[in-house]
Amino acid sequence: MRTERSHELFERAKQLMPGGVNSPVRAFGSVGREPLFIADSRGDRITDADGNEYIDYVCSWGPDILGHAHPSVIDAVKTACERGLTYGACHEGEIVLAEKIRGHFPSMELVRLVNSGTEAVMSAVRAARGFTKRDLIIKFEGCYHGHSDGLLVKGGSGLLTGSVPDSAGVPAGAADCTLLARYNDLDSVRELFEHDPESIAAVLVEPCAANMGVVPPEPGFLQGLRDITTEYGALLIFDEVITGFRLAAGGAQEYYGITPDMTALGKIVGGGMPLAVYGGRHEIMECVAPLGAVYQAGTLSGNPIAVAAGIAAITELERTPGIYGELDRKTAKLEAAARNAGLNVNRCGSLMTVFFAGKRVTDYETAQSADRSEYARFFSYLLDNGIYAAPSQFEAMFVSYAHTDEDIARTAEIISAYR
Ligand SMILES: *Cc1c(COP(=O)(O)O)cnc(C)c1O
């Protein structure tokens, strides 16, 4: 595999951007290689700057559930561009998208469009605090909720493989209001509530964790969170930035049948453009400006191009009724292949992680027991065989509707042969 051109670009990029990248996990640091620079993408394939083509299981970290460059999404964007890139004013597309979102997520009675998952979760937490008039929040070790100050505590994703366990530059005060619990451990949540029964605004959770590798909720975990938060008058916030429109059209809340008070969406909801959403019950969202005292704004929020891409992507999902069954079936083949090769796999729908860990991974601690250098070897094996998987042990493989049966079969064969 020739990588001269990617190498050359990486050298240039390093002169201009920290580590040559605009998001840390792209640097391939934890798999001991240099990043590939992508020049083109279509369907289930990406092509790098040297002309190598790969079957892609990163799918831009989730947004590309329909595959890359889906014609309906591209057409919608082109059409929208003709009418200008941004207005900084209201337009009908925002309403159409919000109606679609509420149709699939009935718990999101009022929504606000923002530009990134980070912003969506940060704003949801602020609204939760404004509504409950409480300051503390509970998050889980290994869950990632974007890079806002208060949420960079045992954060998951790139934080798990970076050189710093958590982020420098976060004042102690910013993290003081974040309490940590263990994923899949209701007792750890109950203890925090017993200690601070009237100060906890919300429990924030990835309803299926996917940023310490895929770690599904154990039966009863989400229901337990629902019960405990209700008992103590705190809100339950589902961070569905990955799981929204991924596990089902109505996200993890539909998939597991648990209704949160607030939800954050990102990734798929923008169809590949920078768009994210937070929302929840009327009385909570009525605390947000201009109706209420919780301030949150955005020059490019509800950007017409991003909104057009989001509407097109969701419309396409709606037009493809069997899509979630298909995604499940395809990903199950990859799971079976990995088990064939004696590997330890967690899977939930079209999200899957092969863990190089000796035991079943159910939380941050068991995820951390995984051998990163073994994963690096697996990653390189896949890449050298034309398969682009996440360049980190603590991420998901994403399967899209564009993954053809042939490419799934080929991938399964390569995984099965791993020794
Ligand atoms: C990706 C992600 C975020 C952050 O979204 P950005 O758009 O990268 O800011 C937040 N929460 C979860 C669960 C995510 O996977």
Side-chain angles (χ1 to χ4, degrees), residues 373-391:
S373 58
E374 263 303 308
Y375 183 84
R377 196 170 82 82
F378 180 62
F379 170 84
S380 277
Y381 166 80
L382 294 179
L383 196 67
D384 294 339
N385 281 286
I387 295 164
Y388 186 85

Side-chain angles (χ1 to χ4, degrees), residues 198-212:
E198 285 168 12
S199 314
I200 298 168
V203 171
L204 172 61
V205 67
E206 286 183 72
C208 172
N211 283 291
M212 49 179 152

Side-chain angles (χ1 to χ4, degrees), residues 353-383:
T353 299
V354 172
F355 282 106
F356 290 88
K359 48 193 164 206
R360 199 164 77 89
V361 174
T362 56
D363 59 10
Y364 178 74
E365 198 182 313
T366 41
Q368 284 297 292
S369 75
D371 185 334
R372 293 148 211 227
S373 58
E374 263 303 308
Y375 183 84
R377 196 170 82 82
F378 180 62
F379 170 84
S380 277
Y381 166 80
L382 294 179
L383 196 67

Side-chain angles (χ1 to χ4, degrees), residues 116-118 121 144-146 206 211 239 241-242 267:
S116 70
T118 296
V121 182
Y144 179 67
H145 303 291
E206 286 183 72
N211 283 291
D239 179 348
V241 170
I242 282 186
K267 299 192 168 117

Side-chain angles (χ1 to χ4, degrees), residues 331-417:
T331 317
K333 287 196 173 153
L334 302 183
E335 179 190 6
R339 293 200 190 284
N340 238 346
L343 300 171
N344 186 352
V345 196
N346 274 2
R347 179 174 79 85
C348 184
S350 55
L351 299 169
M352 170 176 136
T353 299
V354 172
F355 282 106
F356 290 88
K359 48 193 164 206
R360 199 164 77 89
V361 174
T362 56
D363 59 10
Y364 178 74
E365 198 182 313
T366 41
Q368 284 297 292
S369 75
D371 185 334
R372 293 148 211 227
S373 58
E374 263 303 308
Y375 183 84
R377 196 170 82 82
F378 180 62
F379 170 84
S380 277
Y381 166 80
L382 294 179
L383 196 67
D384 294 339
N385 281 286
I387 295 164
Y388 186 85
S392 160
Q393 169 69 92
F394 306 110
E395 305 287 352
M397 270 178 106
F398 294 90
V399 175
S400 80
Y401 193 61
H403 281 90
T404 61
D405 282 328
E406 294 71 42
D407 281 349
I408 292 284
R410 187 176 133 70
T411 307
E413 202 175 299
I414 289 164
I415 292 177
S416 291

Side-chain angles (χ1 to χ4, degrees), residues 188-234:
S188 72
V189 179
R190 220 170 266 121
E191 267 167 40
L192 293 172
F193 271 105
E194 280 162 11
H195 190 264
D196 275 305
E198 285 168 12
S199 314
I200 298 168
V203 171
L204 172 61
V205 67
E206 286 183 72
C208 172
N211 283 291
M212 49 179 152
V214 174
V215 179
E218 301 277 303
F221 177 59
L222 297 175
Q223 183 61 55
L225 295 181
R226 182 62 285 178
D227 296 343
I228 297 169
T229 46
T230 303
E231 182 185 336
Y232 285 93

